[in-house]
Every structure is written in C-alpha cells, then in structure tokens.
Amino acid sequence: MDEQSMLIKLLNEAIERRVNNALRQRKLTLVQVWILRSLNQRADKTYSFKELESILNVAQSTCAGTINRIVAKGFVECFTNPEDRRIKLVRLTETGEKYVKDVEQEINNLNDTLYSGLSTEEIDTFFSLLQRMYDNIK
C-alpha cells in the first residue's frame, strides 16, 4: 500500500473512531446512525431492508442485525409491506427522529473540525475526486 492509500485508510479510521467514541455514550455505532439519518431524510421515514442494504453496501444479514439492534433501542420499527408481505420495511420512530436531531449537531461539529482551513471549493474538489476514485474501483 502506498503512502496516499495509507493516508486515506488512516483518515477513514480516525473519522470512524472519533464518531464512534462520540456515539458510545448513546450506545450506537456510526452505521446505526447512518441508517437513522437515511430514514430521517425520507418523507415517510421508511425504507425497505433491501434499499438499506444497497445504501450501506452491506450483506442482508449485516443489515438485519444492525436494524435489530436499533429496534431494541426504540429508534426504528419493522413491519411488512401491506401490499407485498415479502417486503420488510423499517421506519424511524418519534424517539429516533429526536435522536437524529441531537446527533446532527455532533456531526456538524466533526465536519467543522475536518474542514477547518479548507475553502468550499477545496472541499467540493476533494469530494469530487473521492467519488471519481471510488467509481474507478467499485
């Protein structure tokens, strides 16, 4: 692994560690928060399990286990699609919505730290390049 690749890996690990440490008091992980935030962005606060698997790019069993853990905390509820009982759905609860609002500030603070000293143009360029690099290897 070259120095640039190692730097990307180290940055990812540092971000994940910092976020997970901030979330530890709430007994949630970064992936669980991504699910909650994704649900919160939908008008009906609902996704199918399959959609979340795709968003998170994880296996069905990993997604189901993660969802089950946040169901136990009362942040989401699961049910079957009334039109097609084969489809499992997950919806953000009122408790989950309140939590997402609370955690957004922590995420904004982390982003402020990460982007400190960078212009808006530099941030946009950075993410554009990351997306292109990801598209190249996926």
Side-chain angles (χ1 to χ4, degrees), residues 40-57:
N40 195 50
Q41 292 172 358
R42 296 284 297 256
D44 64 358
K45 311 291 185 204
T46 304
Y47 268 114
S48 71
F49 274 54
K50 274 278 189 236
E51 290 171 316
L52 286 172
E53 290 165 25
S54 178
I55 289 168
L56 298 172
N57 196 28

Side-chain angles (χ1 to χ4, degrees), residues 50-73:
K50 274 278 189 236
E51 290 171 316
L52 286 172
E53 290 165 25
S54 178
I55 289 168
L56 298 172
N57 196 28
V58 297
Q60 184 269 333
S61 59
T62 301
C63 188
T66 304
I67 290 170
N68 286 337
R69 285 186 284 284
I70 55 178
V71 165
K73 296 173 191 315

Side-chain angles (χ1 to χ4, degrees), residues 17-35:
R17 186 173 44 254
R18 185 158 179 179
V19 171
N20 281 331
N21 285 339
L23 297 173
R24 186 170 290 125
Q25 67 187 14
R26 299 171 190 259
K27 295 186 169 62
L28 286 178
T29 66
L30 181 57
V31 173
Q32 291 168 338
V33 171
W34 282 339
I35 291 173

Side-chain angles (χ1 to χ4, degrees), residues 105-119:
Q105 186 57 51
E106 290 179 44
I107 291 168
N108 290 337
N109 291 342
L110 174 60
N111 286 341
D112 289 346
T113 300
L114 276 171
Y115 308 149
S116 177
L118 300 175
S119 69

